[in-house]
Amino acid sequence: MTIPQASSPPFEQFHFCPRCGTAFTRSEGPPNPRFAACDHCGFRLYFNIACGLGALITDADGRLLMVRRAKEPSKGLLGFPGGFADAGEDAETGLRREVFEEVGLEVGVTEYLCSHQNLYAYRGTLYSVLDFFYICRVTSSGNDPLRLQSTEVTGFEWCVPDSLDPEDIAFPSMRYALRCYNLKGKSRQDERAFPA
């Protein structure tokens, strides 16, 4: 993944306590601090990870729905429909909301696939993200056209999973999820070929 030069982790960008305005004098958890502590008022600013969500949606022919990213990071590359969970959401609810916002499909989350760490460079800050991937099925009518959120995606493609070029996939976490998905598919094929 290419990370813009201007990007730095959040703990390098917060120098003053948001409660009292005093300069932070220490942080804990090297090499990437978990929080900055204010010696004046005792406030701690935690640098928690964000929760990313991705949906692996297939059509009747087993092809995966991939979207082309409309903005940085990884503008123009392929990704799974999804986004970030909001406060107060569980992962499945957040994923359904994000998929509907991006492509206009209502999906049911059928199976957890995997998780993987990720770095997400956004407006000069490098965020740590833990991405969760789920296998989903479309619950809205299969004849409904996809409605793309143009600020997030420029287009979509139905792709044969094991023919995707990893270099065309937006993030390392998505490449990992694709490998897990392909291995899962191979395992199912082997079970059918060699029943117990």
PDB file of all heavy atoms in Angstrom, residues 109-144:
ATOM      1  N   VAL A 109     -26.106 -10.700   6.246  1.00  0.00           N
ATOM      2  CA  VAL A 109     -24.775 -11.196   6.589  1.00  0.00           C
ATOM      3  C   VAL A 109     -24.914 -12.676   6.915  1.00  0.00           C
ATOM      4  O   VAL A 109     -25.609 -13.054   7.854  1.00  0.00           O
ATOM      5  CB  VAL A 109     -24.197 -10.415   7.781  1.00  0.00           C
ATOM      6  CG1 VAL A 109     -22.836 -10.959   8.175  1.00  0.00           C
ATOM      7  CG2 VAL A 109     -24.103  -8.930   7.447  1.00  0.00           C
ATOM      8  N   THR A 110     -24.271 -13.533   6.127  1.00  0.00           N
ATOM      9  CA  THR A 110     -24.461 -14.971   6.309  1.00  0.00           C
ATOM     10  C   THR A 110     -23.309 -15.653   7.035  1.00  0.00           C
ATOM     11  O   THR A 110     -23.521 -16.661   7.691  1.00  0.00           O
ATOM     12  CB  THR A 110     -24.664 -15.667   4.946  1.00  0.00           C
ATOM     13  OG1 THR A 110     -23.498 -15.457   4.147  1.00  0.00           O
ATOM     14  CG2 THR A 110     -25.889 -15.130   4.236  1.00  0.00           C
ATOM     15  N   GLU A 111     -22.091 -15.105   6.908  1.00  0.00           N
ATOM     16  CA  GLU A 111     -20.965 -15.823   7.500  1.00  0.00           C
ATOM     17  C   GLU A 111     -19.784 -14.872   7.710  1.00  0.00           C
ATOM     18  O   GLU A 111     -19.406 -14.118   6.807  1.00  0.00           O
ATOM     19  CB  GLU A 111     -20.551 -16.955   6.556  1.00  0.00           C
ATOM     20  CG  GLU A 111     -19.449 -17.834   7.069  1.00  0.00           C
ATOM     21  CD  GLU A 111     -19.111 -18.947   6.086  1.00  0.00           C
ATOM     22  OE1 GLU A 111     -19.861 -19.139   5.089  1.00  0.00           O
ATOM     23  OE2 GLU A 111     -18.102 -19.620   6.308  1.00  0.00           O
ATOM     24  N   TYR A 112     -19.201 -14.943   8.894  1.00  0.00           N
ATOM     25  CA  TYR A 112     -17.953 -14.223   9.161  1.00  0.00           C
ATOM     26  C   TYR A 112     -16.836 -14.933   8.411  1.00  0.00           C
ATOM     27  O   TYR A 112     -16.728 -16.155   8.452  1.00  0.00           O
ATOM     28  CB  TYR A 112     -17.674 -14.218  10.666  1.00  0.00           C
ATOM     29  CG  TYR A 112     -16.279 -13.772  11.035  1.00  0.00           C
ATOM     30  CD1 TYR A 112     -15.918 -12.434  10.995  1.00  0.00           C
ATOM     31  CD2 TYR A 112     -15.312 -14.708  11.402  1.00  0.00           C
ATOM     32  CE1 TYR A 112     -14.630 -12.023  11.316  1.00  0.00           C
ATOM     33  CE2 TYR A 112     -14.029 -14.311  11.731  1.00  0.00           C
ATOM     34  CZ  TYR A 112     -13.689 -12.973  11.686  1.00  0.00           C
ATOM     35  OH  TYR A 112     -12.419 -12.582  12.009  1.00  0.00           O
ATOM     36  N   LEU A 113     -15.972 -14.175   7.723  1.00  0.00           N
ATOM     37  CA  LEU A 113     -14.880 -14.769   6.969  1.00  0.00           C
ATOM     38  C   LEU A 113     -13.541 -14.619   7.696  1.00  0.00           C
ATOM     39  O   LEU A 113     -12.878 -15.613   7.994  1.00  0.00           O
ATOM     40  CB  LEU A 113     -14.784 -14.139   5.579  1.00  0.00           C
ATOM     41  CG  LEU A 113     -13.641 -14.656   4.693  1.00  0.00           C
ATOM     42  CD1 LEU A 113     -13.818 -16.139   4.386  1.00  0.00           C
ATOM     43  CD2 LEU A 113     -13.553 -13.844   3.403  1.00  0.00           C
ATOM     44  N   CYS A 114     -13.132 -13.385   8.001  1.00  0.00           N
ATOM     45  CA  CYS A 114     -11.830 -13.168   8.623  1.00  0.00           C
ATOM     46  C   CYS A 114     -11.704 -11.703   9.045  1.00  0.00           C
ATOM     47  O   CYS A 114     -12.556 -10.878   8.727  1.00  0.00           O
ATOM     48  CB  CYS A 114     -10.691 -13.511   7.649  1.00  0.00           C
ATOM     49  SG  CYS A 114     -10.623 -12.440   6.191  1.00  0.00           S
ATOM     50  N   SER A 115     -10.618 -11.419   9.741  1.00  0.00           N
ATOM     51  CA  SER A 115     -10.264 -10.033  10.042  1.00  0.00           C
ATOM     52  C   SER A 115      -8.792  -9.850   9.725  1.00  0.00           C
ATOM     53  O   SER A 115      -8.025 -10.821   9.655  1.00  0.00           O
ATOM     54  CB  SER A 115     -10.541  -9.696  11.512  1.00  0.00           C
ATOM     55  OG  SER A 115      -9.705 -10.452  12.365  1.00  0.00           O
ATOM     56  N   HIS A 116      -8.395  -8.598   9.511  1.00  0.00           N
ATOM     57  CA  HIS A 116      -6.993  -8.307   9.209  1.00  0.00           C
ATOM     58  C   HIS A 116      -6.732  -6.838   9.501  1.00  0.00           C
ATOM     59  O   HIS A 116      -7.598  -5.988   9.288  1.00  0.00           O
ATOM     60  CB  HIS A 116      -6.691  -8.610   7.745  1.00  0.00           C
ATOM     61  CG  HIS A 116      -5.238  -8.772   7.448  1.00  0.00           C
ATOM     62  ND1 HIS A 116      -4.419  -7.711   7.165  1.00  0.00           N
ATOM     63  CD2 HIS A 116      -4.453  -9.871   7.401  1.00  0.00           C
ATOM     64  CE1 HIS A 116      -3.183  -8.142   6.955  1.00  0.00           C
ATOM     65  NE2 HIS A 116      -3.185  -9.460   7.087  1.00  0.00           N
ATOM     66  N   GLN A 117      -5.515  -6.560   9.975  1.00  0.00           N
ATOM     67  CA  GLN A 117      -5.145  -5.180  10.261  1.00  0.00           C
ATOM     68  C   GLN A 117      -4.950  -4.407   8.965  1.00  0.00           C
ATOM     69  O   GLN A 117      -4.669  -4.974   7.915  1.00  0.00           O
ATOM     70  CB  GLN A 117      -3.874  -5.142  11.086  1.00  0.00           C
ATOM     71  CG  GLN A 117      -2.684  -5.762  10.384  1.00  0.00           C
ATOM     72  CD  GLN A 117      -1.480  -5.851  11.285  1.00  0.00           C
ATOM     73  OE1 GLN A 117      -1.440  -5.256  12.344  1.00  0.00           O
ATOM     74  NE2 GLN A 117      -0.490  -6.607  10.861  1.00  0.00           N
ATOM     75  N   ASN A 118      -5.079  -3.095   9.069  1.00  0.00           N
ATOM     76  CA  ASN A 118      -4.954  -2.227   7.905  1.00  0.00           C
ATOM     77  C   ASN A 118      -4.482  -0.859   8.377  1.00  0.00           C
ATOM     78  O   ASN A 118      -4.675  -0.496   9.538  1.00  0.00           O
ATOM     79  CB  ASN A 118      -6.317  -2.123   7.197  1.00  0.00           C
ATOM     80  CG  ASN A 118      -6.228  -1.465   5.831  1.00  0.00           C
ATOM     81  OD1 ASN A 118      -5.167  -1.382   5.228  1.00  0.00           O
ATOM     82  ND2 ASN A 118      -7.352  -0.990   5.340  1.00  0.00           N
ATOM     83  N   LEU A 119      -3.876  -0.122   7.481  1.00  0.00           N
ATOM     84  CA  LEU A 119      -3.552   1.282   7.715  1.00  0.00           C
ATOM     85  C   LEU A 119      -4.318   2.097   6.692  1.00  0.00           C
ATOM     86  O   LEU A 119      -4.371   1.737   5.514  1.00  0.00           O
ATOM     87  CB  LEU A 119      -2.048   1.532   7.573  1.00  0.00           C
ATOM     88  CG  LEU A 119      -1.161   0.868   8.619  1.00  0.00           C
ATOM     89  CD1 LEU A 119       0.308   1.060   8.263  1.00  0.00           C
ATOM     90  CD2 LEU A 119      -1.456   1.433  10.007  1.00  0.00           C
ATOM     91  N   TYR A 120      -4.930   3.199   7.138  1.00  0.00           N
ATOM     92  CA  TYR A 120      -5.786   3.992   6.267  1.00  0.00           C
ATOM     93  C   TYR A 120      -5.332   5.442   6.354  1.00  0.00           C
ATOM     94  O   TYR A 120      -5.506   6.098   7.382  1.00  0.00           O
ATOM     95  CB  TYR A 120      -7.246   3.846   6.723  1.00  0.00           C
ATOM     96  CG  TYR A 120      -8.266   4.379   5.752  1.00  0.00           C
ATOM     97  CD1 TYR A 120      -8.749   3.576   4.726  1.00  0.00           C
ATOM     98  CD2 TYR A 120      -8.764   5.667   5.866  1.00  0.00           C
ATOM     99  CE1 TYR A 120      -9.692   4.041   3.840  1.00  0.00           C
ATOM    100  CE2 TYR A 120      -9.718   6.148   4.982  1.00  0.00           C
ATOM    101  CZ  TYR A 120     -10.179   5.328   3.969  1.00  0.00           C
ATOM    102  OH  TYR A 120     -11.116   5.793   3.099  1.00  0.00           O
ATOM    103  N   ALA A 121      -4.707   5.922   5.276  1.00  0.00           N
ATOM    104  CA  ALA A 121      -4.209   7.299   5.240  1.00  0.00           C
ATOM    105  C   ALA A 121      -5.324   8.224   4.773  1.00  0.00           C
ATOM    106  O   ALA A 121      -5.842   8.066   3.664  1.00  0.00           O
ATOM    107  CB  ALA A 121      -3.015   7.391   4.300  1.00  0.00           C
ATOM    108  N   TYR A 122      -5.696   9.181   5.617  1.00  0.00           N
ATOM    109  CA  TYR A 122      -6.802  10.082   5.281  1.00  0.00           C
ATOM    110  C   TYR A 122      -6.488  11.490   5.775  1.00  0.00           C
ATOM    111  O   TYR A 122      -6.284  11.700   6.977  1.00  0.00           O
ATOM    112  CB  TYR A 122      -8.102   9.569   5.906  1.00  0.00           C
ATOM    113  CG  TYR A 122      -9.309  10.397   5.561  1.00  0.00           C
ATOM    114  CD1 TYR A 122      -9.825  10.388   4.266  1.00  0.00           C
ATOM    115  CD2 TYR A 122      -9.913  11.191   6.516  1.00  0.00           C
ATOM    116  CE1 TYR A 122     -10.933  11.145   3.938  1.00  0.00           C
ATOM    117  CE2 TYR A 122     -11.032  11.956   6.191  1.00  0.00           C
ATOM    118  CZ  TYR A 122     -11.537  11.936   4.910  1.00  0.00           C
ATOM    119  OH  TYR A 122     -12.626  12.696   4.586  1.00  0.00           O
ATOM    120  N   ARG A 123      -6.417  12.418   4.839  1.00  0.00           N
ATOM    121  CA  ARG A 123      -6.188  13.832   5.134  1.00  0.00           C
ATOM    122  C   ARG A 123      -5.005  14.063   6.080  1.00  0.00           C
ATOM    123  O   ARG A 123      -5.116  14.789   7.060  1.00  0.00           O
ATOM    124  CB  ARG A 123      -7.453  14.484   5.675  1.00  0.00           C
ATOM    125  CG  ARG A 123      -8.580  14.490   4.659  1.00  0.00           C
ATOM    126  CD  ARG A 123      -9.737  15.314   5.114  1.00  0.00           C
ATOM    127  NE  ARG A 123     -10.772  15.307   4.096  1.00  0.00           N
ATOM    128  CZ  ARG A 123     -11.830  16.080   4.113  1.00  0.00           C
ATOM    129  NH1 ARG A 123     -12.014  16.926   5.109  1.00  0.00           N
ATOM    130  NH2 ARG A 123     -12.724  16.014   3.168  1.00  0.00           N
ATOM    131  N   GLY A 124      -3.901  13.420   5.752  1.00  0.00           N
ATOM    132  CA  GLY A 124      -2.679  13.643   6.490  1.00  0.00           C
ATOM    133  C   GLY A 124      -2.524  12.859   7.775  1.00  0.00           C
ATOM    134  O   GLY A 124      -1.538  13.022   8.482  1.00  0.00           O
ATOM    135  N   THR A 125      -3.497  12.009   8.088  1.00  0.00           N
ATOM    136  CA  THR A 125      -3.401  11.192   9.295  1.00  0.00           C
ATOM    137  C   THR A 125      -3.462   9.725   8.900  1.00  0.00           C
ATOM    138  O   THR A 125      -4.258   9.329   8.057  1.00  0.00           O
ATOM    139  CB  THR A 125      -4.549  11.519  10.279  1.00  0.00           C
ATOM    140  OG1 THR A 125      -4.486  12.900  10.627  1.00  0.00           O
ATOM    141  CG2 THR A 125      -4.429  10.687  11.545  1.00  0.00           C
ATOM    142  N   LEU A 126      -2.596   8.936   9.519  1.00  0.00           N
ATOM    143  CA  LEU A 126      -2.532   7.506   9.243  1.00  0.00           C
ATOM    144  C   LEU A 126      -3.234   6.757  10.362  1.00  0.00           C
ATOM    145  O   LEU A 126      -2.741   6.702  11.487  1.00  0.00           O
ATOM    146  CB  LEU A 126      -1.073   7.063   9.147  1.00  0.00           C
ATOM    147  CG  LEU A 126      -0.819   5.619   8.742  1.00  0.00           C
ATOM    148  CD1 LEU A 126      -1.397   5.336   7.359  1.00  0.00           C
ATOM    149  CD2 LEU A 126       0.675   5.350   8.763  1.00  0.00           C
ATOM    150  N   TYR A 127      -4.417   6.207  10.050  1.00  0.00           N
ATOM    151  CA  TYR A 127      -5.239   5.543  11.054  1.00  0.00           C
ATOM    152  C   TYR A 127      -4.984   4.040  11.065  1.00  0.00           C
ATOM    153  O   TYR A 127      -4.856   3.414  10.013  1.00  0.00           O
ATOM    154  CB  TYR A 127      -6.727   5.794  10.777  1.00  0.00           C
ATOM    155  CG  TYR A 127      -7.116   7.232  10.927  1.00  0.00           C
ATOM    156  CD1 TYR A 127      -7.157   8.083   9.825  1.00  0.00           C
ATOM    157  CD2 TYR A 127      -7.443   7.753  12.176  1.00  0.00           C
ATOM    158  CE1 TYR A 127      -7.508   9.420   9.963  1.00  0.00           C
ATOM    159  CE2 TYR A 127      -7.801   9.090  12.322  1.00  0.00           C
ATOM    160  CZ  TYR A 127      -7.829   9.908  11.211  1.00  0.00           C
ATOM    161  OH  TYR A 127      -8.168  11.227  11.355  1.00  0.00           O
ATOM    162  N   SER A 128      -4.935   3.457  12.256  1.00  0.00           N
ATOM    163  CA  SER A 128      -4.895   2.008  12.401  1.00  0.00           C
ATOM    164  C   SER A 128      -6.321   1.488  12.364  1.00  0.00           C
ATOM    165  O   SER A 128      -7.199   2.000  13.060  1.00  0.00           O
ATOM    166  CB  SER A 128      -4.242   1.620  13.729  1.00  0.00           C
ATOM    167  OG  SER A 128      -2.881   1.952  13.711  1.00  0.00           O
ATOM    168  N   VAL A 129      -6.543   0.473  11.543  1.00  0.00           N
ATOM    169  CA  VAL A 129      -7.883  -0.072  11.333  1.00  0.00           C
ATOM    170  C   VAL A 129      -7.822  -1.591  11.485  1.00  0.00           C
ATOM    171  O   VAL A 129      -6.846  -2.226  11.097  1.00  0.00           O
ATOM    172  CB  VAL A 129      -8.406   0.281   9.919  1.00  0.00           C
ATOM    173  CG1 VAL A 129      -9.811  -0.280   9.690  1.00  0.00           C
ATOM    174  CG2 VAL A 129      -8.382   1.787   9.690  1.00  0.00           C
ATOM    175  N   LEU A 130      -8.864  -2.156  12.056  1.00  0.00           N
ATOM    176  CA  LEU A 130      -9.044  -3.604  12.046  1.00  0.00           C
ATOM    177  C   LEU A 130     -10.249  -3.885  11.159  1.00  0.00           C
ATOM    178  O   LEU A 130     -11.376  -3.495  11.485  1.00  0.00           O
ATOM    179  CB  LEU A 130      -9.268  -4.147  13.460  1.00  0.00           C
ATOM    180  CG  LEU A 130      -9.388  -5.659  13.574  1.00  0.00           C
ATOM    181  CD1 LEU A 130      -8.147  -6.357  13.005  1.00  0.00           C
ATOM    182  CD2 LEU A 130      -9.615  -6.076  15.016  1.00  0.00           C
ATOM    183  N   ASP A 131      -9.989  -4.506  10.007  1.00  0.00           N
ATOM    184  CA  ASP A 131     -11.043  -4.773   9.030  1.00  0.00           C
ATOM    185  C   ASP A 131     -11.652  -6.154   9.267  1.00  0.00           C
ATOM    186  O   ASP A 131     -10.930  -7.137   9.450  1.00  0.00           O
ATOM    187  CB  ASP A 131     -10.475  -4.725   7.609  1.00  0.00           C
ATOM    188  CG  ASP A 131     -10.153  -3.310   7.156  1.00  0.00           C
ATOM    189  OD1 ASP A 131     -10.783  -2.371   7.662  1.00  0.00           O
ATOM    190  OD2 ASP A 131      -9.275  -3.148   6.288  1.00  0.00           O
ATOM    191  N   PHE A 132     -12.984  -6.207   9.251  1.00  0.00           N
ATOM    192  CA  PHE A 132     -13.740  -7.451   9.385  1.00  0.00           C
ATOM    193  C   PHE A 132     -14.453  -7.723   8.062  1.00  0.00           C
ATOM    194  O   PHE A 132     -15.073  -6.820   7.500  1.00  0.00           O
ATOM    195  CB  PHE A 132     -14.773  -7.349  10.513  1.00  0.00           C
ATOM    196  CG  PHE A 132     -14.163  -7.254  11.874  1.00  0.00           C
ATOM    197  CD1 PHE A 132     -13.774  -6.033  12.395  1.00  0.00           C
ATOM    198  CD2 PHE A 132     -13.956  -8.398  12.636  1.00  0.00           C
ATOM    199  CE1 PHE A 132     -13.198  -5.941  13.658  1.00  0.00           C
ATOM    200  CE2 PHE A 132     -13.385  -8.318  13.895  1.00  0.00           C
ATOM    201  CZ  PHE A 132     -13.002  -7.087  14.404  1.00  0.00           C
ATOM    202  N   PHE A 133     -14.369  -8.959   7.597  1.00  0.00           N
ATOM    203  CA  PHE A 133     -14.963  -9.324   6.315  1.00  0.00           C
ATOM    204  C   PHE A 133     -16.020 -10.403   6.516  1.00  0.00           C
ATOM    205  O   PHE A 133     -15.817 -11.353   7.268  1.00  0.00           O
ATOM    206  CB  PHE A 133     -13.877  -9.812   5.357  1.00  0.00           C
ATOM    207  CG  PHE A 133     -12.869  -8.745   5.035  1.00  0.00           C
ATOM    208  CD1 PHE A 133     -11.680  -8.673   5.748  1.00  0.00           C
ATOM    209  CD2 PHE A 133     -13.122  -7.792   4.070  1.00  0.00           C
ATOM    210  CE1 PHE A 133     -10.756  -7.684   5.482  1.00  0.00           C
ATOM    211  CE2 PHE A 133     -12.210  -6.791   3.792  1.00  0.00           C
ATOM    212  CZ  PHE A 133     -11.019  -6.738   4.504  1.00  0.00           C
ATOM    213  N   TYR A 134     -17.144 -10.225   5.816  1.00  0.00           N
ATOM    214  CA  TYR A 134     -18.280 -11.128   5.930  1.00  0.00           C
ATOM    215  C   TYR A 134     -18.745 -11.553   4.542  1.00  0.00           C
ATOM    216  O   TYR A 134     -18.720 -10.768   3.585  1.00  0.00           O
ATOM    217  CB  TYR A 134     -19.452 -10.439   6.636  1.00  0.00           C
ATOM    218  CG  TYR A 134     -19.185 -10.121   8.079  1.00  0.00           C
ATOM    219  CD1 TYR A 134     -18.558  -8.924   8.446  1.00  0.00           C
ATOM    220  CD2 TYR A 134     -19.556 -11.001   9.091  1.00  0.00           C
ATOM    221  CE1 TYR A 134     -18.306  -8.626   9.777  1.00  0.00           C
ATOM    222  CE2 TYR A 134     -19.311 -10.704  10.422  1.00  0.00           C
ATOM    223  CZ  TYR A 134     -18.686  -9.511  10.756  1.00  0.00           C
ATOM    224  OH  TYR A 134     -18.436  -9.226  12.071  1.00  0.00           O
ATOM    225  N   ILE A 135     -19.180 -12.795   4.447  1.00  0.00           N
ATOM    226  CA  ILE A 135     -19.834 -13.277   3.236  1.00  0.00           C
ATOM    227  C   ILE A 135     -21.310 -12.912   3.365  1.00  0.00           C
ATOM    228  O   ILE A 135     -21.935 -13.157   4.390  1.00  0.00           O
ATOM    229  CB  ILE A 135     -19.647 -14.800   3.080  1.00  0.00           C
ATOM    230  CG1 ILE A 135     -18.146 -15.110   2.953  1.00  0.00           C
ATOM    231  CG2 ILE A 135     -20.428 -15.325   1.878  1.00  0.00           C
ATOM    232  CD1 ILE A 135     -17.817 -16.587   3.025  1.00  0.00           C
ATOM    233  N   CYS A 136     -21.836 -12.281   2.322  1.00  0.00           N
ATOM    234  CA  CYS A 136     -23.209 -11.749   2.384  1.00  0.00           C
ATOM    235  C   CYS A 136     -24.028 -12.242   1.204  1.00  0.00           C
ATOM    236  O   CYS A 136     -23.498 -12.618   0.160  1.00  0.00           O
ATOM    237  CB  CYS A 136     -23.176 -10.217   2.356  1.00  0.00           C
ATOM    238  SG  CYS A 136     -22.285  -9.474   3.727  1.00  0.00           S
ATOM    239  N   ARG A 137     -25.335 -12.196   1.397  1.00  0.00           N
ATOM    240  CA  ARG A 137     -26.244 -12.506   0.291  1.00  0.00           C
ATOM    241  C   ARG A 137     -27.179 -11.317   0.103  1.00  0.00           C
ATOM    242  O   ARG A 137     -27.513 -10.610   1.055  1.00  0.00           O
ATOM    243  CB  ARG A 137     -27.050 -13.767   0.583  1.00  0.00           C
ATOM    244  CG  ARG A 137     -27.913 -13.675   1.805  1.00  0.00           C
ATOM    245  CD  ARG A 137     -28.714 -14.947   2.049  1.00  0.00           C
ATOM    246  NE  ARG A 137     -29.303 -14.921   3.372  1.00  0.00           N
ATOM    247  CZ  ARG A 137     -30.346 -14.169   3.737  1.00  0.00           C
ATOM    248  NH1 ARG A 137     -30.917 -13.384   2.860  1.00  0.00           N
ATOM    249  NH2 ARG A 137     -30.814 -14.211   4.965  1.00  0.00           N
ATOM    250  N   VAL A 138     -27.576 -11.103  -1.139  1.00  0.00           N
ATOM    251  CA  VAL A 138     -28.488 -10.003  -1.452  1.00  0.00           C
ATOM    252  C   VAL A 138     -29.885 -10.403  -1.035  1.00  0.00           C
ATOM    253  O   VAL A 138     -30.361 -11.484  -1.394  1.00  0.00           O
ATOM    254  CB  VAL A 138     -28.429  -9.648  -2.953  1.00  0.00           C
ATOM    255  CG1 VAL A 138     -29.444  -8.569  -3.293  1.00  0.00           C
ATOM    256  CG2 VAL A 138     -27.026  -9.222  -3.343  1.00  0.00           C
ATOM    257  N   THR A 139     -30.556  -9.557  -0.257  1.00  0.00           N
ATOM    258  CA  THR A 139     -31.933  -9.842   0.160  1.00  0.00           C
ATOM    259  C   THR A 139     -32.943  -9.024  -0.625  1.00  0.00           C
ATOM    260  O   THR A 139     -34.112  -9.360  -0.657  1.00  0.00           O
ATOM    261  CB  THR A 139     -32.119  -9.566   1.670  1.00  0.00           C
ATOM    262  OG1 THR A 139     -31.764  -8.213   1.947  1.00  0.00           O
ATOM    263  CG2 THR A 139     -31.246 -10.495   2.495  1.00  0.00           C
ATOM    264  N   SER A 140     -32.480  -7.916  -1.273  1.00  0.00           N
ATOM    265  CA  SER A 140     -33.393  -7.163  -2.126  1.00  0.00           C
ATOM    266  C   SER A 140     -33.521  -7.880  -3.462  1.00  0.00           C
ATOM    267  O   SER A 140     -32.777  -8.817  -3.751  1.00  0.00           O
ATOM    268  CB  SER A 140     -32.885  -5.726  -2.318  1.00  0.00           C
ATOM    269  OG  SER A 140     -31.539  -5.724  -2.714  1.00  0.00           O
ATOM    270  N   SER A 141     -34.435  -7.433  -4.294  1.00  0.00           N
ATOM    271  CA  SER A 141     -34.689  -8.097  -5.570  1.00  0.00           C
ATOM    272  C   SER A 141     -33.422  -8.147  -6.417  1.00  0.00           C
ATOM    273  O   SER A 141     -32.709  -7.156  -6.544  1.00  0.00           O
ATOM    274  CB  SER A 141     -35.778  -7.339  -6.337  1.00  0.00           C
ATOM    275  OG  SER A 141     -35.840  -7.789  -7.671  1.00  0.00           O
ATOM    276  N   GLY A 142     -33.152  -9.311  -6.979  1.00  0.00           N
ATOM    277  CA  GLY A 142     -31.982  -9.471  -7.833  1.00  0.00           C
ATOM    278  C   GLY A 142     -32.046  -8.641  -9.097  1.00  0.00           C
ATOM    279  O   GLY A 142     -31.054  -8.466  -9.787  1.00  0.00           O
ATOM    280  N   ASN A 143     -33.243  -8.147  -9.440  1.00  0.00           N
ATOM    281  CA  ASN A 143     -33.391  -7.340 -10.645  1.00  0.00           C
ATOM    282  C   ASN A 143     -33.144  -5.857 -10.384  1.00  0.00           C
ATOM    283  O   ASN A 143     -33.127  -5.064 -11.315  1.00  0.00           O
ATOM    284  CB  ASN A 143     -34.805  -7.519 -11.230  1.00  0.00           C
ATOM    285  CG  ASN A 143     -35.040  -8.960 -11.664  1.00  0.00           C
ATOM    286  OD1 ASN A 143     -34.127  -9.630 -12.110  1.00  0.00           O
ATOM    287  ND2 ASN A 143     -36.268  -9.425 -11.502  1.00  0.00           N
ATOM    288  N   ASP A 144     -32.992  -5.479  -9.120  1.00  0.00           N
ATOM    289  CA  ASP A 144     -32.754  -4.068  -8.809  1.00  0.00           C
ATOM    290  C   ASP A 144     -31.374  -3.656  -9.312  1.00  0.00           C
ATOM    291  O   ASP A 144     -30.378  -4.325  -9.023  1.00  0.00           O
ATOM    292  CB  ASP A 144     -32.827  -3.823  -7.293  1.00  0.00           C
ATOM    293  CG  ASP A 144     -34.229  -4.017  -6.743  1.00  0.00           C
ATOM    294  OD1 ASP A 144     -35.174  -4.037  -7.558  1.00  0.00           O
ATOM    295  OD2 ASP A 144     -34.373  -4.142  -5.525  1.00  0.00           O
TER     296      ASP A 144
END
